[in-house]
Amino acid sequence: MAMYSKIAGTGSYLPKKILTNIELESMVDTSDEWIQTRTGIVQRHIASDGQMASDLAFEASCRALDAANLKAQDIDLIILATTTPDMIFPSTACILQEKLGITDGPAFDVQAVCSGFIYALATADMFVSSGKSKNALVVGAEIYSRIVDWSDRNTCVLFGDGAGAVVLSQSEQPGILSSHLHANGGYSKILAAPGRISGGKIQGTPFIAMEGNTVFKFAVKALEEAAIESLAANNLKASDFDWFIPHQANIRIIKSTAHKLGIPMEKVVTTVDRHGNTSAASVPLALDLAVRDGRILSNQYILLEGVGGGFTWGSILLQW
Ligand code: ACO
């Protein structure tokens, strides 16, 4: 019998501190009006000094485990997507594993920037649907406030911190129906945090630098093409999706993509207004929100999509 992987529970966590657009007005030359009309963002959450990506991941993971009615000991694989790991090594996945009190099963990080959760979930699906793992914990956790230059208005208004997690378990019913991942390193320069550590010092700039407009156009094109690819692979039409959960970077990117695909905004889950762009955490945060507020129902078709630095992009189609 074919074996599928299916999401058994979701969880998320947002740091307590909220940074509003109004507060940003006193930090850089910007306005609430500019940020809202150009990005749709109203506020974002900011981690406290002592919080690490693994702390955010831990809170989200505990909630996902509760929702799945499982204990940490039931987890036999951890894949954690982050661009802002706790340290150079060990991986944030290993640090999370220790916090969860587990001592076995593979644990590793995935670095695909804003597509990180899509890459991580697609990878976990290979382990679970092939029978290698029974219950995988798949997490996106980010603290972008640490790699943003707070004096650069072009970037600092866009990002926020948070984490989202899912438990992916073996199932005889679908589940994840398809995943498609892409990358094109030819676009690595238009969105990067190009610093590195050498000889105990940071070389180059460790802050996010981007060509906003080029990124915007690339994101819309990639999200549209990935959705069309997923539809074709599953013999579905855009009207067959019940929910579209794209990466949350900018409401205008989301609206343009939905419009091109003919998906009404009522079927699109959006959190960018409250969370800003939380990179690898944005899709699982939005998914958890829509699961917990009761929007997502059994058997519905859900399309998850990511796009981000690399460039990387991809989709996952699942039946709830
Ligand atoms: N407040 C006020 N003015 C600003 C701000 C700000 N925070 N930031 C930029 N501006 C100014 C610019 O300096 C420019 O001024 P100028 O015309 O005098 O030079 C003007 O606003 C317009 O700038 P544009 O870049 O043309 O504005 P645009 O409508 O493209 O919006 C934005 C900019 C929001 C960055 C948009 O391009 C965008 O969202 N791009 C995608 C970026 C992104 O999401 N990156 C994240 C990672 S990738 C991903 O997640 C897919």
Side-chain angles (χ1 to χ4, degrees):
M1 181 177 298
M3 176 135 55
Y4 294 97
S5 74
K6 196 174 177 78
I7 293 178
T10 64
S12 62
Y13 175 78
L14 291 158
K16 281 203 184 66
K17 187 183 169 200
I18 289 173
L19 178 66
T20 63
N21 291 349
I22 308 289
E23 287 169 280
L24 276 166
E25 286 180 356
S26 65
M27 296 164 65
V28 286
D29 180 14
T30 190
S31 67
D32 177 38
E33 199 264 331
W34 191 96
I35 301 171
Q36 286 210 37
T37 44
R38 298 298 183 109
T39 73
I41 299 167
V42 178
Q43 61 167 54
R44 67 289 289 144
H45 291 252
I46 304 289
S48 64
D49 283 349
Q51 277 181 318
M52 296 292 180
S54 65
D55 295 316
L56 276 48
F58 175 73
E59 299 294 340
S61 299
C62 290
R63 292 172 190 181
L65 284 165
D66 275 353
N69 262 319
L70 291 174
K71 295 196 174 23
Q73 280 64 30
D74 298 318
I75 296 298
D76 54 9
L77 168 68
I78 298 176
I79 307 183
L80 188 147
T82 189
T83 321
T84 51
D86 287 22
M87 52 185 79
I88 297 171
F89 72 79
S91 70
T92 306
C94 284
I95 299 169
L96 171 65
Q97 191 209 41
E98 198 261 331
K99 287 185 176 163
L100 287 166
I102 322 173
T103 54
D104 200 10
F108 58 92
D109 285 1
V110 162
Q111 160 55 301
V113 201
C114 302
S115 312
F117 182 77
I118 302 297
Y119 266 63
L121 191 58
T123 308
D125 171 52
M126 315 272 179
F127 279 86
V128 175
S129 62
S130 67
K132 289 250 185 242
S133 304
K134 279 203 174 77
N135 300 298
L137 184 60
V138 188
V139 191
E142 299 278 22
I143 304 190
Y144 263 54
S145 59
R146 307 235 166 102
I147 57 165
V148 157
D149 176 353
W150 287 102
S151 66
D152 175 12
R153 70 174 185 176
N154 290 302
T155 52
C156 77
V157 303
L158 302 175
F159 298 95
D161 304 337
V166 304
V167 174
L168 193 70
S169 298
Q170 287 180 355
S171 165
E172 285 175 11
Q173 313 296 327
I176 291 182
L177 295 169
S178 71
S179 63
H180 294 91
L181 303 180
H182 298 276
N184 184 343
Y187 292 92
S188 60
K189 288 200 177 62
I190 63 168
L191 176 62
R196 65 204 167 276
I197 290 177
S198 175
K201 293 202 178 74
I202 295 167
Q203 313 282 325
T205 170
F207 296 124
I208 297 171
M210 66 172 189
E211 288 172 30
N213 226 286
T214 320
V215 170
F216 190 105
K217 285 180 200 144
F218 188 96
V220 174
K221 189 165 162 281
L223 291 170
E224 185 197 4
E225 285 176 5
I228 290 168
E229 179 185 37
S230 175
L231 285 170
N234 291 284
N235 275 317
L236 294 173
K237 306 183 292 298
S239 56
D240 294 326
F241 293 144
D242 294 289
W243 297 107
F244 179 42
I245 310 185
H247 172 51
Q248 308 280 315
N250 183 324
I251 195 68
R252 288 162 48 220
I253 294 178
I254 296 172
K255 281 186 177 164
S256 306
T257 307
H259 179 75
K260 286 188 169 190
L261 293 167
I263 299 175
M265 282 305 287
E266 294 73 47
K267 288 185 172 185
V268 184
V269 180
T270 58
T271 53
V272 67
D273 55 332
R274 284 153 287 168
H275 301 171
N277 181 347
T278 59
S279 187
S282 91
V283 169
L285 268 162
L287 175 65
D288 183 49
L289 183 95
V291 168
R292 283 176 193 262
D293 70 20
R295 262 181 283 180
I296 292 181
L297 303 171
S298 200
N299 289 324
Q300 287 185 331
Y301 286 111
I302 305 169
L303 181 68
L304 310 177
E305 284 201 315
V307 58
F311 257 78
T312 57
W313 66 103
S315 73
I316 289 183
L317 181 77
L318 50 92
Q319 198 171 2
W320 198 250

